Amino acid sequence: MYFQFPCEKCSKKLKVRDENVGKKVRCPYCHHTMLVKKPETPVIDTSIDVNTTGSTSASSRPSSSSRGGNKHVSSGWADGTEVSLSKSGMIAVGASVAFIALMFPFRNYYLGELFLDRGWVPFALVFLMSWSATILILKSRKLAKQKDSMLFDTLPTDISEEISEKTVARFIEHVKNLPVDPRESFLVNRVLRGLEHFSVLRSSSEVSNRLQSQSEIDATAVDSSYTILKVFIWAIPILGFIGTVIGISAAVGGFSGGMDDATDISALKESLGSVTGGLSTAFDTTLVALVMSMLVMFPSSSMQKSEEDLLNWVDEYCNENLLKRLKESDHGGGGGDEKDHRRLIQRTIDKAMANHHAELQSWIEKLEGIGSTLSQQVVKSWGKIDDKIREQQEAQLAEVQEVMKHLESVEEKMTALQSAHSTHLEKMNGEATEMTAAAGVLSQSFNGVQQGLNGLNTVLTNLGEKQVLIQQVEAPRKRWGLFGNSKRVR
């Protein structure tokens, strides 16, 4: 939002944004710097006439009289912050020469070698850097003037609270008498165009469309003013890469020439010197180009953002202070009869359609009654359906619970069977262990019998056809013989 406050020095009325409260601004009339303070009540001086204000201000400021040729010029295309390329280029040439001259005392240091002993690429980089810096400086000065023009009270309430066909000429005259060329201010140019369109078209909607178109034109102009800077931001690194290629080519050429004279140590040293010189050229030009590209890129992006913010402020100013105050009169110029005919036609149509409107209203009431009845029936039907669905869900839930209980009982039985099976397996494992032990004992017994039979066979084989006298002898009771009785063999 905007509010008015008077200049402390020249007492001219200025209009500023709420964001500027507590900040210092410069009066566009007398160029006096002051601190913005928001007054508690609006400052409106009704004793000053606009016509006399223009004359007194013109007589009190000699500088504004020198601009008398521009005051009554109709608003044309606003150059905004566009900078002349020829003017900025000439300034850049002088700045480049001055910079190279300043580097001569440092030619024996690394800083001087970067710009004086690395071929022609650093000179081109210095020129593009100087040109870019010149454009940015000139644009910043124009942007400062644009921001100063935002303080003008271009549409004072002293003339009229509303902008109508009767007062639009006085507003146009007041804007033209401001000490600024409309082509140098987006705000003044936009307001003047809006007032001139309203004086011709007498329609606030048409003025709004024209201002929207003008806003797009200003935005395009701001964007196009940065085209050359974007080209420089692109060209500076490219020049650095060109210097890199030149340096590497020189290094490779020096190395190949040194290899041909590899037998001569002095020639080899000279060739190595040319190789290192070429590599230093390659890397140093790339370094300088990248640094300069960054030095141009950041200020240009910041400047472009500031200009875009300025255009947004101009759009806001026109919406808040121009379009809201436009007042279309009922009768004006040659359009009054046409408006009367339009009203008569509209009234005739309204009378002819009155019966149809009444019938349509009755049908609307009937349809509303039918709709309410249908809605009630639908609500009841949905209630019944909801009850049935709820009952079905409860029955299904009960069945699911029964199934869950059955599954739980089955699970318990399966657990019991599993435990019984485990016990049976343990018993069978014990019996199997015992049977294994008995089988082992029986196997040992069989082994003993087999050994006895083998011994008997051996004895019989040794006797052959010899006579064997078997005498029965009473054997001791506690001893066991081979066949149940003790037998002696002779």
Side-chain angles (χ1 to χ4, degrees):
M1 298 297 292
Y2 294 83
F3 65 93
Q4 288 183 346
F5 82 103
C7 177
E8 298 175 354
K9 186 176 181 180
C10 63
S11 300
K12 291 293 183 181
K13 293 181 181 179
L14 306 176
K15 184 171 288 189
V16 297
R17 295 165 53 89
D18 292 335
E19 290 83 354
N20 291 328
V21 175
K23 299 180 181 179
K24 290 185 178 181
V25 297
R26 187 174 60 177
C27 176
Y29 292 99
C30 62
H31 305 288
H32 172 67
T33 303
M34 55 190 165
L35 185 66
V36 177
K37 297 180 180 179
K38 188 173 182 179
E40 297 180 358
T41 57
V43 180
I44 301 176
D45 187 8
T46 57
S47 61
I48 301 176
D49 187 17
V50 177
N51 296 328
T52 59
T53 301
S55 60
T56 55
S57 61
S59 61
S60 60
R61 290 186 308 275
S63 60
S64 62
S65 62
S66 61
R67 298 181 182 180
N70 294 331
K71 287 182 181 180
H72 301 283
V73 177
S74 177
S75 61
W77 177 74
D79 57 358
T81 57
E82 185 70 29
V83 176
S84 174
L85 293 180
S86 59
K87 179 181 177 181
S88 59
M90 295 299 295
I91 297 174
V93 170
S96 302
V97 173
F99 180 81
I100 296 299
L102 289 175
M103 288 295 105
F104 269 98
F106 304 96
R107 65 182 308 170
N108 295 326
Y109 299 94
Y110 179 69
L111 180 62
E113 292 177 355
L114 285 177
F115 298 96
L116 300 177
D117 297 335
R118 298 295 184 264
W120 60 270
V121 175
F123 297 103
L125 292 175
V126 170
F127 173 69
L128 292 182
M129 177 67 184
S130 302
W131 202 349
S132 302
T134 303
I135 292 175
L136 290 174
I137 292 173
L138 295 178
K139 287 178 72 67
S140 65
R141 295 179 61 184
K142 287 197 170 187
L143 182 61
K145 291 182 180 180
Q146 292 276 359
K147 292 182 178 180
D148 290 340
S149 66
M150 292 293 295
L151 300 176
F152 283 121
D153 189 6
T154 54
L155 301 172
T157 56
D158 298 341
I159 299 176
S160 176
E161 292 289 341
E162 297 178 348
I163 303 175
S164 61
E165 297 178 7
K166 296 180 181 179
T167 60
V168 65
R170 298 173 63 188
F171 280 106
I172 293 175
E173 186 67 21
H174 171 75
V175 173
K176 288 182 177 180
N177 287 329
L178 293 175
V180 63
D181 190 348
R183 293 174 299 178
E184 296 179 355
S185 173
F186 288 122
L187 175 64
V188 177
N189 182 69
R190 187 85 60 85
V191 171
L192 187 57
R193 278 180 173 271
L195 294 174
E196 290 177 348
H197 286 310
F198 183 71
S199 64
V200 176
L201 301 174
R202 302 176 183 179
S203 173
S204 59
S205 60
E206 292 294 334
V207 173
S208 177
N209 294 332
R210 298 299 192 279
L211 291 181
Q212 181 66 28
S213 176
Q214 184 63 35
S215 175
E216 295 175 357
I217 293 173
D218 293 340
T220 304
V222 168
D223 186 67
S224 64
S225 65
Y226 286 89
T227 302
I228 190 66
L229 286 175
K230 293 177 181 178
V231 172
F232 289 163
I233 293 173
W234 169 83
I236 289 174
I238 296 299
L239 282 175
F241 294 144
I242 292 174
T244 302
V245 174
I246 293 174
I248 292 176
S249 299
V252 172
F255 185 74
S256 62
M259 293 301 295
D260 295 337
D261 300 332
T263 56
D264 191 358
I265 301 298
S266 60
L268 184 61
K269 289 182 179 180
E270 292 179 358
S271 63
L272 290 176
S274 63
V275 170
T276 55
L279 292 177
S280 63
T281 300
F283 294 118
D284 290 342
T285 52
T286 304
L287 173 65
V288 172
L290 294 178
V291 171
M292 287 185 175
S293 177
M294 293 179 63
L295 292 177
V296 175
M297 185 182 300
F298 288 111
S300 62
S301 300
S302 177
M303 184 75 66
Q304 187 172 6
K305 183 181 181 302
S306 299
E307 291 197 32
E308 291 175 354
D309 293 339
L310 177 67
L311 291 180
N312 293 331
W313 294 343
V314 172
D315 294 338
E316 181 185 4
Y317 185 94
C318 293
N319 293 333
E320 295 293 332
N321 297 282
L322 177 59
L323 295 178
K324 283 185 177 180
R325 295 170 60 184
L326 293 179
K327 177 67 174 178
E328 299 181 15
S329 60
D330 295 335
H331 301 283
D337 296 337
E338 184 178 355
K339 291 181 180 180
D340 292 338
H341 289 306
R342 290 179 180 176
R343 291 194 186 91
L344 181 60
I345 294 171
Q346 184 66 35
R347 291 173 184 174
T348 304
I349 293 174
D350 292 339
K351 289 180 180 179
M353 297 296 293
N355 296 329
H356 298 285
H357 288 164
E359 186 177 357
L360 180 61
Q361 185 65 28
S362 64
W363 277 106
I364 291 173
E365 294 176 355
K366 292 179 181 179
L367 290 174
E368 289 178 353
I370 295 171
S372 61
T373 304
L374 289 175
S375 61
Q376 292 176 0
Q377 292 179 356
V378 170
V379 169
K380 292 180 180 180
S381 301
W382 275 111
K384 294 179 180 179
I385 294 172
D386 188 21
D387 294 336
K388 292 181 179 179
I389 293 173
R390 188 175 300 171
E391 292 176 357
Q392 292 178 358
Q393 288 179 350
E394 292 176 354
Q396 291 176 358
L397 181 60
E399 292 177 358
V400 170
Q401 290 177 353
E402 291 179 358
V403 171
M404 291 296 294
K405 291 180 180 179
H406 180 68
L407 290 175
E408 290 176 356
S409 63
V410 171
E411 185 178 1
E412 292 176 357
K413 292 179 181 180
M414 291 294 293
T415 304
L417 290 173
Q418 186 177 3
S419 61
H421 182 65
S422 300
T423 304
H424 182 66
L425 287 177
E426 290 177 357
K427 291 181 180 179
M428 290 181 66
N429 290 330
E431 294 176 356
T433 303
E434 293 176 357
M435 291 178 67
T436 302
V441 174
L442 185 59
S443 177
Q444 291 178 0
S445 300
F446 284 147
N447 291 331
V449 173
Q450 183 69 30
Q451 290 177 0
L453 292 175
N454 292 333
L456 181 59
N457 291 329
T458 304
V459 171
L460 292 176
T461 303
N462 292 330
L463 289 178
E465 296 178 354
K466 293 181 180 181
Q467 294 182 354
V468 178
L469 178 61
I470 299 173
Q471 184 179 359
Q472 184 175 3
V473 181
E474 184 178 359
R477 294 180 179 179
K478 294 182 180 180
R479 294 181 180 179
W480 290 87
L482 182 63
F483 297 104
N485 294 321
S486 179
K487 295 180 181 180
R488 182 175 296 179
V489 180
R490 290 183 182 178

